[in-house]
Amino acid sequence: MFTSLTPSTMFTSLTPSTMFTSLTPSTMFTSLTPSTMFTSLTPSTLFTSLTPSTLFTSLTPSTMFTSLTPSTLFTSLTPSTMFTPLTPPSARRHLRVVSVPSSSVNMGSMRILIKGGKVVNDDFTQEADVYIENGIIQQVGKELMIPGGAKVIDASGKLVLPGGIDTSVHLQESFMNAAIQDDFYSGTKAALMGGTTMVLALVLPEQHCSLLDAYEKSRALADAKACCDYALHVGVTWWGPKVHNEMETLVREHGVNSFQMYMAYKDMMMLKDSELYQVLQTCKDIGAIARVHAENGELVAESQKEALDLGISGPEGIEISRPEELESEATHRAVTIANRARCPIYLVNVSSASAGDMIAAAKMQGKVVHAETTVAHAVLNGSQYYHQDWAHAAAHVIAPPLRIDPDTPAYLMGLLGNDTLSVVASEHRPFGTKQRALGKDDFTKIPHGVAGVQDRMSVIWERGVVTGKMDENRFVAVTSSNAAKIYNLYPRKGRIIPGADADVVVWDPDATRTISVSTQVQGGDFNLYEGMRCHGVPLVTISRGRLVCENGVFMCAEGSGKFYPQRTFPDFLYKKMVQREKTQAYKGVARDPYSGDVAKVANAMKELGLGSLDGDTSGKGLNAARVQVGIRDLHESSFSLSGSQVDDHIPKRSSARILAPPGGRSSGIW
């Protein structure tokens, strides 16, 4: 290539005025030969920037031009880089060719082409290929023009779905004196194995503890272990100015946009109605999602005492002490409080038909209400609490409890299908039998929680789609898209379109698997759906463009997931509220001021000796109001009827028989 060049001939024909005069886009590279390839470069720029250790280090004879295609051949050329200088001639003899091992390639930048599948979004289905690069969906359609070197996944006869979003998981924390049996690694691994590519975990501070401190602790744990994208809800377990300020800080500086409040769990994290009202007002002001667990905590506490007094100490006590009327009453109260606070509300763990009907009625009235149920509530019923095996019964303890009515699960699944309920979550909080045995003599001490993050997608497909209660598009809505819209992740999450995050699942609707605790990845020693044969299996899971699971083989490193900061004021919740504020704002009546006399009530009270009704400490203020001035108080009189009387000499009968009193005869003695 350089044999015919000499210092005297190498650059003889170039002058500043003629150096690039003959180049045109069509001829720029047509006249190059080995002897003339570099004749247009000047001696001062020919080899100035390369060193022996960097010249051609990544090229091998077999790979030198393998990645070039017509669409990428000149994409990296600019006027400033087209003729990048080389190292001096004296350095050339030190160069060596080195190949880059394939394992050093960033997995997030891998190219994936999913061919031949049916792309399913929440609103339509189409046959299309999906091309992924740099963690983003680049193209969706037929006959795509893509660069070479992409991994091809054959999805013929399969569905291509947005990755699932599980809005309620509990990982690496303690609850009711028991440590949850999944950390952020095992929990997110189980999620990915089941087709879920993002989880929203709950941070639950102790009462009177800092929300910020609890958030920072969970972030540190999750960042080190999570395998998929995640976000955090923060629980509001008490109320005060400090909590208000920390809520604002979490939203403004830490990417949190949802808070969870409890109307149950008295003396643990229950808020009074007035406190809930203030929290909801704060959520409205900062644009956050208000998640509310609705049960009448006062009556639950009383019912638990009554059950224990009756000698009911087993797991059936949770169903007896938390009847669905306590849930429906609290649901109505929560919706009312939110409506008065002008705040959208998101109800969690809806478990009963009556609560579902309350939500449907509120939506019909135009109130901004969204709700989620759990897989367990939509599939199982409360007869499990009466099982003869205590460990089996205790393994189903969750709050609110599974309902005893056998028709409730199908009813809730129907509400998911008709959009009364927007989301189905796993409420994943696994415990072991030994931990649940903390309540072997007192059902109130059994930790509340079940596992389900791995099985959520398959179980809902089996009981929802296969049974005809929802179609494939509605399945995508309740497992992914609606959650993305509510939590302001859409359309980066929850949809397969160009520009969205490459969270994709290749789903086989015809394949089956049998659920078993012996094969599960998630924590816990019991599976609620043991032995259930489910249609619908995730064959391939892709998270942020990384192939993390294929045919049951997990290929993702611990800590490779990322925290996903969330934006406030999601349109899906707040757009209607903003418009309502404009058109339905309270307005006073314009009228002339009153100019008549005003009664002097305060002076009259003083004249009567009533004193101040506010802050009265004498104990006489309210009691004195019962005394009429100028009338004798006979209770304080010395008058008495004791002693001799003027008619003492007249004999008297102590009783008399009444023969025919008004209203009928009487045989008694009066």
Side-chain angles (χ1 to χ4, degrees), residues 109-128:
S109 64
M110 70 185 302
R111 297 168 176 169
I112 300 175
L113 176 64
I114 304 174
K115 285 185 66 67
K118 290 173 62 178
V119 173
V120 182
N121 284 306
D122 64 325
D123 53 352
F124 72 96
T125 301
Q126 63 174 334
E127 292 187 359

Side-chain angles (χ1 to χ4, degrees), residues 268-318:
M268 286 179 59
M269 47 195 173
M270 186 180 87
L271 299 180
K272 296 184 294 186
D273 287 357
S274 59
E275 294 173 329
L276 179 60
Y277 179 77
Q278 294 176 64
V279 176
L280 293 177
Q281 284 189 316
T282 302
C283 287
K284 179 198 69 173
D285 293 339
I286 62 180
I289 296 101
R291 294 167 50 95
V292 177
H293 176 115
E295 285 183 288
N296 189 317
E298 292 285 354
L299 293 185
V300 166
E302 294 300 320
S303 299
Q304 288 174 337
K305 294 177 185 176
E306 291 177 4
L308 290 172
D309 289 344
L310 291 172
I312 300 172
S313 60
E316 67 277 9
I318 191 168

